[in-house]
Amino acid sequence: KAGVTQTPRYLIKTRGQQVTLSCSPISGHRSVSWYQQTPGQGLQFLFEYFSETQRNKGNFPGRFSGRQFSNSRSEMNVSTLELGDSALYLCASSRGLASSYNEQFFGPGTRLTVL
Amino acid sequence: GQNIDQPTEMTATEGAIVQINCTYQTSGFNGLFWYQQHAGEAPTFLSYNVLDGLEEKGRFSSFLSRSKGYSYLLLKELQMKDSASYLCAVRDRIDDKLIFGTGTRLQVFP
C-alpha cells in the first residue's frame, strides 16, 4: 500500500510570505503528526491531529498552524515566514494516537528554504 | 520536562559491532523508539521498547532500563549501508508527545 506522501517536496519562499504544506497519510491511518527537522535541533514536534482534532501541540509560535480533513489528509501553514523557519518538515502517520503504541510512518518531507 | 541525550557522531568498521546509547529524562515514560534516517530520507522505524530488557530483531537489538532512564541500540555485523543517523525517541504519557533526540550520525568505514 502507498506510503505517506508530502507535497511539495521542495519550496523556496521569502521572508514575510506564508506557506502551506500538505500530507496524505497511509490509508486507514487517522493520526498525522508534524515535525520540524534542522541540523542543530533535530526533530521537533509541531502538532498531532487525530480525527480532524488537534490532539497536541509543541512549543512553536502561533505562526505555525495546521488542520486535518475528514479523509485524514492534513495541511500545515506557516505565516509571516522567518529565515529560521528554513527546515525539513516531516509528517508522520499512525493508525491510532501517537500517545499509545502506534508505529509512526514518516513521509519524505518538504524542504523549505526561506530567503 | 523532557531531555534526551545521545552522542552526536560515531564511527565503526564494516563487520564490527557498535552500541549507540540514549539517556532520557521524562515525567511520564511510555515507551522508547529507535529510528534510522539515511541522509536526505525520512526516518524509518527500527524498534520499540516499553519494558526493561533486550529486544532483538536480526542484526539490530535495543535495550531498555527504565530505572536508569537508559537505552541502547546495538548493531552487529555492520554494513556500509548502516551509515545513517539513529534517532532515539521517547513517548511521554504526561505531555502525550513523542520527543526525539538530536540523533547519532554513524559512519561505517570499510
Side-chain angles (χ1 to χ4, degrees):
Chain A
K1 73 184 165 183
V4 179
T5 57
Q6 291 186 246
T7 56
R9 292 293 312 277
Y10 301 91
L11 205 50
I12 299 175
K13 292 284 189 178
T14 56
R15 277 181 300 173
Q17 287 187 307
Q18 69 93 27
V19 68
T20 300
L21 312 181
S22 181
C23 171
S24 291
I26 291 172
S27 177
H29 285 193
R30 295 168 65 191
S31 168
V32 173
S33 297
W34 288 90
Y35 296 88
Q36 181 195 65
Q37 188 174 35
T38 56
Q41 298 292 320
L43 262 169
Q44 296 203 291
F45 173 76
L46 280 155
F47 25 66
E48 179 189 11
Y49 285 88
F50 182 83
S51 294
E52 301 178 68
T53 302
Q54 187 180 88
R55 290 279 306 181
N56 211 340
K57 193 175 189 306
N59 298 324
F60 279 82
R63 301 185 296 107
F64 291 80
S65 63
R67 59 178 174 167
Q68 187 180 35
F69 302 95
S70 57
N71 62 358
S72 294
R73 189 177 70 85
S74 177
E75 287 182 349
M76 190 192 100
N77 185 76
V78 188
S79 62
T80 321
L81 283 166
E82 300 177 0
L83 293 179
D85 297 334
S86 294
L88 180 67
Y89 290 88
L90 290 162
C91 133
S93 79
S94 57
R95 191 169 295 279
L97 284 169
S99 58
S100 53
Y101 169 59
N102 279 287
E103 179 185 338
Q104 289 193 316
F105 295 83
F106 283 83
T110 295
R111 171 76 61 186
L112 172 65
T113 302
V114 182
L115 302 175
Chain B
Q2 307 93 12
N3 190 46
I4 298 176
D5 285 314
Q6 28 178 157
T8 306
E9 289 194 9
M10 296 182 73
T11 59
T13 307
E14 200 174 11
I17 299 173
V18 72
Q19 178 174 311
I20 302 174
N21 296 325
C22 171
T23 57
Y24 64 88
Q25 293 173 311
T26 182
S27 37
F29 178 82
N30 195 24
L32 185 144
F33 291 79
W34 283 96
Y35 281 83
Q36 180 192 59
Q37 186 177 25
H38 285 100
E41 297 181 14
T44 55
F45 170 81
L46 286 177
S47 68
Y48 172 70
N49 295 70
V50 66
L51 300 176
D52 290 351
L54 190 68
E55 294 281 341
E56 295 186 80
K57 194 186 288 188
R59 295 189 299 113
F60 292 7
S61 303
S62 57
F63 171 83
L64 175 68
S65 168
R66 288 172 296 169
S67 62
K68 294 180 180 175
Y70 168 70
S71 172
Y72 68 71
L73 180 69
L74 193 71
L75 292 76
K76 303 175 189 174
E77 300 168 18
L78 280 172
Q79 302 175 8
M80 298 296 291
K81 67 178 183 180
D82 297 330
S83 293
S85 286
Y86 291 86
L87 310 175
C88 170
V90 172
R91 177 161 285 146
D92 188 295
R93 184 189 292 115
I94 307 300
D95 283 356
D96 210 20
K97 296 175 191 173
L98 190 62
I99 309 299
F100 281 82
T102 52
T104 298
R105 185 168 166 243
L106 173 68
Q107 287 185 286
V108 180
F109 293 99

